[in-house]
Amino acid sequence: MNNLELILGIVFVIGVLLMFVKYKHRMGIHNNVEQLREVTDLIFEEAAKSPISQNRYIRGLKEHLHVNEKMALKLIGKARMENIIRVEGKEVTKA
């Protein structure tokens, strides 16, 4: 019984550590405005046009920052607050 408790304890600790690392990664991306600017520039360079669709911008954020859709939408809000982008309807332009 003692070995089973030890193994379950180790698995629990590893799970908590993974959750903590994932949280720190997401908050690090959300608070790093310079990285968001660089990724936005990269997305617009790849698209080779100025107004791109909001879906294309979300897909670019997901690819380059390795985040899910919910976090990508939060990053759009952060980018709008920092005047990195402007959203007009379904189109995104650089500010």
Side-chain angles (χ1 to χ4, degrees):
M1 192 67 165
N2 199 7
N3 287 338
L4 180 62
E5 292 172 356
L6 180 66
I7 291 171
L8 288 177
I10 291 172
V11 169
F12 177 74
V13 169
I14 290 172
V16 169
L17 287 175
L18 287 175
M19 288 178 16
F20 179 72
V21 168
K22 187 174 181 180
Y23 172 78
K24 291 297 280 182
H25 172 71
R26 285 186 175 174
M27 288 301 104
I29 290 172
H30 191 267
N31 294 330
N32 192 347
V33 177
E34 278 306 311
Q35 183 182 16
L36 188 57
R37 279 185 210 281
E38 292 171 5
V39 169
T40 298
D41 291 339
L42 184 61
I43 291 169
F44 277 95
E45 285 177 16
E46 288 176 353
K49 59 181 182 177
S50 181
I52 61 173
S53 71
Q54 190 172 6
N55 289 334
R56 171 69 182 102
Y57 188 69
I58 290 171
R59 194 171 356 117
L61 289 174
K62 287 169 54 175
E63 288 173 7
H64 294 291
L65 296 176
H66 307 289
V67 295
N68 59 9
E69 183 129 2
K70 182 178 178 180
M71 188 64 184
L73 291 172
K74 288 181 181 180
L75 290 172
I76 288 177
K78 179 76 169 184
R80 288 176 70 184
M81 287 176 48
E82 296 292 332
N83 292 325
I84 298 172
I85 61 168
R86 270 189 244 120
V87 177
E88 298 164 359
K90 294 284 183 179
E91 292 186 343
V92 177
T93 56
K94 284 175 54 172

